[in-house]
Amino acid sequence: MSGRNTALTPPADAAEPVRHPDAPPPGELLGAHYEHCFGCGDGQPHGLHLAARAGEGVRVSAEFTVKPAHQGAPGLAHGGVLATALDETLGSLNWLLRVIAVTGRLETDFVRPVPVGTVLYLEAEVTAVAGRKIYSRAVGRIGGPQGPVALRAEALFIEVKVDHFTDNGRPEEIRAAMADPDQVRRARAFEVNP
């Protein structure tokens, strides 16, 4: 995938990613950034309920089970759902950098079909940082963490301020998230999303 798209190729002066000293330790479950997030939130009955864990360096691993509500063709995961799983996993990386960032570009390769009932194992890492741009990649496997590759992606995330959400989000959800008495949940609600 490298080099196919210049928008996803870090510039020559890009820096190596640096894990924030306050990032969750390797192995820690990151939890949902927002209860109503389709990717990771428990408040979405047909959502992915994707569970991501901090890895070493600036890496995360995640899993989700493809349910009947996630199918496109009979018995197979919808490609958009698989792209969402990649986007959610890649977005979780920003928690290790302790920045608020949104997806700027996501390029996905679908390598093999993913049947309903399959557990998708995802691994993602930040590869470079250049100013507000965060470059990353991910791979999804079936049959186990070392199983055959089903999909892969490269992504570009852009660091933003919380105003990105408060200025553009639907007011009732913004007010509800801002009123949450739990300071961590309040901050995490605005962690990722376009």
Side-chain angles (χ1 to χ4, degrees):
M1 288 190 335
S2 295
R4 285 193 323 198
N5 187 321
T6 58
L8 295 172
T9 303
D13 63 347
E16 291 289 321
V18 177
R19 183 189 189 97
H20 192 279
D22 295 331
E28 184 171 307
L29 189 62
L30 299 180
H33 74 90
Y34 177 53
E35 177 188 2
H36 300 290
C37 173
F38 181 78
C40 66
D42 289 334
Q44 289 288 348
H46 297 298
L48 305 184
H49 302 152
L50 188 131
R53 288 190 181 280
E56 297 291 332
V58 189
R59 295 173 176 256
V60 298
S61 61
E63 293 180 12
F64 98 95
T65 301
V66 179
K67 304 273 195 309
H70 303 143
Q71 65 190 310
L76 296 174
H78 189 287
V81 169
L82 297 175
T84 300
L86 287 164
D87 186 46
E88 187 68 32
T89 304
L90 289 157
S92 297
L93 290 164
N94 299 313
W95 190 243
L96 301 181
L97 298 172
R98 298 300 295 262
V99 299
I100 300 171
V102 296
T103 310
R105 185 174 190 93
L106 175 66
E107 187 171 305
T108 305
D109 290 325
F110 301 95
V111 179
R112 69 180 65 235
V114 179
V116 169
T118 298
V119 175
L120 188 63
Y121 299 88
L122 300 127
E123 297 284 334
E125 67 178 328
V126 175
T127 58
V129 176
R132 295 176 45 226
K133 295 181 176 182
I134 302 163
Y135 298 86
S136 54
R137 64 181 168 221
V139 64
R141 297 175 183 273
I142 58 176
Q146 303 304 316
V149 172
L151 55 148
R152 52 175 76 91
E154 288 189 47
L156 171 64
F157 280 76
I158 308 297
E159 185 176 351
V160 296
K161 301 293 181 207
V162 75
D163 297 4
H164 172 86
F165 303 98
T166 58
D167 292 350
N168 297 295
R170 200 163 71 160
E172 50 267 37
E173 278 89 359
I174 298 299
R175 280 194 298 275
M178 296 295 276
D180 191 324
D182 185 311
Q183 185 177 8
V184 172
R185 268 199 323 253
R186 187 171 56 239
R188 290 210 58 202
F190 301 102
E191 178 183 275
V192 292
N193 282 332

